[in-house]
Amino acid sequence: MTATFLPWIVVLMIAVAGVQIGRRLRLWRRGQPAPVDWLGGLRALPKRYLVDVHHVVERDRAAAKMHVPLAGGLVAACGFLLIGLVTGLTAWRFFWALVTLAFLAMTAGALLEIRRRYPRRLARLSGGSWQTFPFALIAFAIASGLSALFATFGNALPALELLTLILAAVGGVALAATAAEGPMRHALAGATHLVVHPRPQRFGGGRSTELKPLDLDAEKLGTETPADFAWNRLVAFDACVQCGRCEAACPAFAAGQPLSPKHLIADLAAASAGGERPPYHGNPYPNARPVGGRIGLHAPIVSAEGVIHPDTLWSCTTCRACVEECPMMIEHVDTIIDLRRFQTQERGAIPLKAEEPLANFRGCDEPNGRVLAERTDFAAGLKLPVIAAGGQTDVLLWLGQAAFDLRGQRTLTALIRILTAAKVDIAVLGADERDCGDLARRLGDEATFQRLASANVAALASVRFRRILTADPHALHVLRNEYPAFGGTYEVVHHTAFLAELAAAGRIPLSPLAGRSITYHDPCYLGRYNGEVEAPRRLLDALGLERHEMARSGKRAMCCGGGGGAPVADIPGDTRIPDLRMAQAAETGAKTVAVACPQCAAMLEGVTGERPVVKDVAELFLEAIEAAAMRPAEAVRALEVEPA
Amino acid sequence: MKTTVLLSHARHPVSDRPQLSRLEAQAIALAAEVDEAPSGLHAGRNETGVVAALGHGLTALDRLDLADTTDPLSALAAFLTRQRFDLILAGRRGEGGHETGLLPYRLAAILGLPILADAVAITPGAAVETLVVDQAMAKGARRRVTIRLPAIVTVHPLAPPPRPFAYGPMRRGTIRRHPVDGSANAADLDTAEERPHRLRPKLMRQSAGQAAGANLYVDPTPEEAARLILAYLEANGIRRYGPLNDR
């Protein structure tokens, strides 16, 4: 009896799931067109799933231990049954033993999932249908497994077997029925998303973090309604499994600002469907602002009447922690920037404080309204040649916004003195260096960014250099990854990498700063955006510092709160992000926090009370040089460092 | 209420690039309170600065094609007479042009319109063709005035901040370019005196009471002068040793 019906139950489940996901398919098709390499995506699907996705899932061991048997068992069992149906293997008892084993694995996985939710579920998980979902899974797994077991031993108990088969059919169809609106959707939309992912370059160890240029001649700039999203972005929203890892990593959520990446994605998935707003069973936005909740494919998303309050949008620091943690490979930051672009460019609906730097950008190419020619003023007395058009240098130093800020100037002064001591051939653009436009772009002002980018690319084209050196990871990211779209491809190196090179080359005598305990705070735009987490640590170790790691470090580091225009948008929360981060730094017992970004330095130095000292890596390096110079000449030795 | 905002040729104080004056951007925000589709009016050849007004809330921009050396007064007056606006808003003075600050007044004189200065808020009046204007006065005082339209109103820097700039609406806004007949006069600059700028000390606020009294002494003896100065310092609370007579 099982041999006859169980495979057909699977066929029925696939048919039901197909009909359900077909409803979403029709919805996805109403998004904007997007170029998708279907063949390449399909070919890469197994690898993307088994390697890239698993790599992320595995960071939460308990989740991996649950999901591997659960999904593996379900897919294997259904696969076996379909093969059996086609090939006629169902007459063979050993085949049924295999199917039983697969369902057994699934049962074990479902049990583990129940353990994650009972007696109390993890705070980041969603309740509602997600809470009852494992019971549907386990009911189907046990009923089907028992049916397969009966089939393994021949039709011994036909009455019981009929009962388990009916249960299996009911459980299976109930599962398949949730493929459109319920938890099962994550599997089908998730697989589709892996095939049609908008950033295929990020799989297989690659990286794709740059924002895509916006066509400024488009009818509508940015995203207003769900229908304005590219269709594969709509797929991404449906892929969300509401695991809440993004929420756990989000600095704005932690600080009590009204942002939860998970809630945002769930809202967008709900908004694209229209109709009644489905209930959300996760954590609410902290200090949630009231919204009207009107949803629909063509209803504005961000407004007091829509589903997402503007404060939610402007709380984001674009730190990409959510993207880094997402096992479904959803690109939250792209989504937020798309929504911001519409708010800024079409509605001018930007927090008034954030409009100030944008107005300055339009007026004088500098967010604080400073004179570009005064950028090098801080370096009076230092050797810092300004390169004229047609000039040539080995290393072009990109000063960035830090040159106008007293704290940033200390770092830059240290850096310039190191470079002078190392006899590096450097020069700056002087008045031709406009702001890189990072802030304008993250605030959604794409027009200003593109104007600045074109002007800077033109200025850089007028001089000859081998590579660009900068102490600002934001400028680094923009110059390295976002200017190529505007015709400027450069070799850009961050000062941590450059100084690590210098230390490794042993050209400068360094005296170890032994006995000082430090902890290194990774800038998001260096670590997550550019994957540079090794060089700064290598450098700090070369300086002889005793390095303690924070619980969240490297690519999983927590943001300082300074990115994405969040400090200028200044959305109030319960606490401040830099306070949280500084507390984590203090927890390591280190007396110094080493930073590598002027934004991080400014944010972390703004923390009041007793706290570790904030030092840029360049300042520590200069201390080591100066310590070496203080010692008698014979005692000086160049520090030997293992080459990378 | 048909409203237009006069837009001058302003320059950014740091970069010297043409830009929209902030005060005029504030005037646009005020105009949007009483008119759903306010327009702007600029006399001059260079559009690059004033076009930003479309991104701050104007739906259309009229530009009189006029050389920068020409006095725009008669051309503006002729245009405004033709168009019959209910309300004409203006900043206090140009920023980067000749900056006399007289243009709104001379315009009002030619057009025969009432002019009200330093508005921080405007609302339509209870009666038709009236406007309620909140005027900014010294020391944060406000005065509410009701005027009959049409009228010219200039805007005070304490008016609400301008609406943030939006690129899309600027791109979609219409610019109407109007030729001007050649009879326009060149700016009357010859009669103006030109002299180098001299920094003047800030006027200090006088404290109330006797300090404001007569304190001009012609050719006093040194002792008398010293006594007067000390007495002045005592009286104003700058020095506290008690009256000299007590010692």
Side-chain angles (χ1 to χ4, degrees), chain A residues 359, chain B residues 4-13 19-32 39 49-50 52-53 56-58 88-96 99 101 104-105 116-122 134 136 142 153-163:
Chain B
T4 192
V5 180
L6 301 187
L7 303 172
S8 66
H9 173 68
R11 287 189 171 276
H12 193 273
Q19 68 155 12
L20 179 73
S21 140
R22 179 182 162 88
L23 196 55
E24 284 156 14
Q26 286 175 286
I28 294 169
L30 285 189
S39 65
V50 287
H56 281 284
L58 291 186
I88 300 165
L89 287 167
R92 293 177 138 189
R93 57 169 59 190
E95 291 169 19
E99 307 185 12
Y105 295 92
L116 199 63
D118 293 342
V120 288
I122 56 174
D134 287 354
R142 295 283 184 274
V153 174
T154 69
V155 176
H156 192 272
L158 287 176
R163 291 180 173 187

Side-chain angles (χ1 to χ4, degrees), chain A residues 216 218 345-346 348 362-363 365, chain B residues 15 17 164-165 167-169 171-172:
Chain A
L216 291 177
Q345 309 227 79
E346 293 289 355
R362 289 193 298 276
D365 300 340
Chain B
S15 67
R17 287 210 296 254
F165 172 81
Y167 181 82
R171 207 182 39 164
R172 278 192 293 275

Side-chain angles (χ1 to χ4, degrees), chain A residues 506-549:
Chain A
R507 271 165 57 194
I508 313 181
L510 291 170
S511 173
L513 303 170
R516 273 173 68 177
S517 60
I518 58 137
T519 183
Y520 175 65
H521 165 75
D522 287 271
C524 307
Y525 276 71
L526 192 64
R528 262 191 297 277
Y529 275 78
N530 284 286
E532 293 189 20
V533 295
E534 296 297 329
R537 290 181 167 77
R538 217 161 47 227
L539 174 62
L540 292 169
D541 292 346
L543 296 179
L545 293 157
E546 186 188 312
R547 180 160 55 83
H548 302 268
E549 287 293 352

Side-chain angles (χ1 to χ4, degrees), chain A residues 274-505:
Chain A
E276 192 80 359
R277 188 184 183 192
Y280 175 72
H281 294 287
N283 294 321
Y285 291 118
N287 299 307
R289 306 347 186 201
V291 285
R294 196 156 55 87
I295 57 173
L297 200 58
H298 298 286
I301 300 166
V302 179
S303 72
E305 298 84 46
V307 272
I308 294 170
H309 194 276
D311 283 3
T312 297
L313 198 59
W314 300 109
S315 294
C316 178
T317 66
T318 68
C319 73
R320 273 184 85 84
C322 46
V323 185
E324 186 70 26
E325 295 299 318
C326 182
M328 303 310 287
M329 305 287 166
I330 299 171
E331 295 280 342
H332 311 68
V333 174
D334 284 352
T335 307
I336 284 181
I337 297 293
D338 280 345
L339 292 169
R340 281 187 180 181
R341 281 175 172 170
F342 180 82
Q343 296 300 312
T344 305
Q345 309 227 79
E346 293 289 355
R347 294 190 57 219
I350 182 167
L352 275 185
K353 288 291 274 182
E355 164 67 2
E356 269 173 44
L358 294 186
N360 285 327
F361 272 129
R362 289 193 298 276
C364 60
D365 300 340
E366 215 289 317
N368 293 311
R370 309 294 285 269
V371 185
L372 293 180
E374 289 173 6
R375 196 187 293 274
T376 50
D377 282 9
F378 77 96
L382 295 174
K383 198 166 154 270
L384 189 64
V386 174
I387 194 168
Q392 187 175 1
T393 180
D394 181 41
V395 174
L396 184 78
L397 182 61
W398 188 272
L399 293 171
Q401 212 183 315
F404 290 116
D405 168 65
L406 282 175
R407 180 65 186 85
Q409 288 168 3
R410 291 212 318 260
T411 303
L412 288 175
T413 305
L415 179 61
I416 293 165
R417 288 175 62 188
I418 296 165
L419 296 173
T420 312
K423 301 191 173 57
V424 181
D425 176 23
I426 57 161
V428 290
L429 278 181
D432 282 346
E433 179 189 326
R434 292 158 181 88
D435 193 87
C436 65
D438 163 73
L439 179 60
R441 189 169 227 196
R442 314 295 142 182
L443 285 173
D445 190 351
E446 182 73 3
T448 298
F449 171 76
Q450 293 196 6
R451 186 177 57 74
L452 289 170
S454 304
N456 278 326
V457 168
L460 288 168
S462 71
V463 295
R464 284 192 297 158
F465 54 86
R466 195 162 60 86
R467 50 186 183 168
I468 300 175
L469 169 66
T470 181
D472 186 345
H474 296 261
L476 170 104
H477 172 65
V478 168
L479 288 167
R480 181 192 278 171
N481 302 322
E482 297 190 347
Y483 277 14
F486 300 91
T489 308
Y490 315 107
E491 187 189 340
V492 191
V493 54
H494 190 246
H495 74 308
T496 50
F498 193 91
L499 295 180
E501 260 177 49
L502 275 185

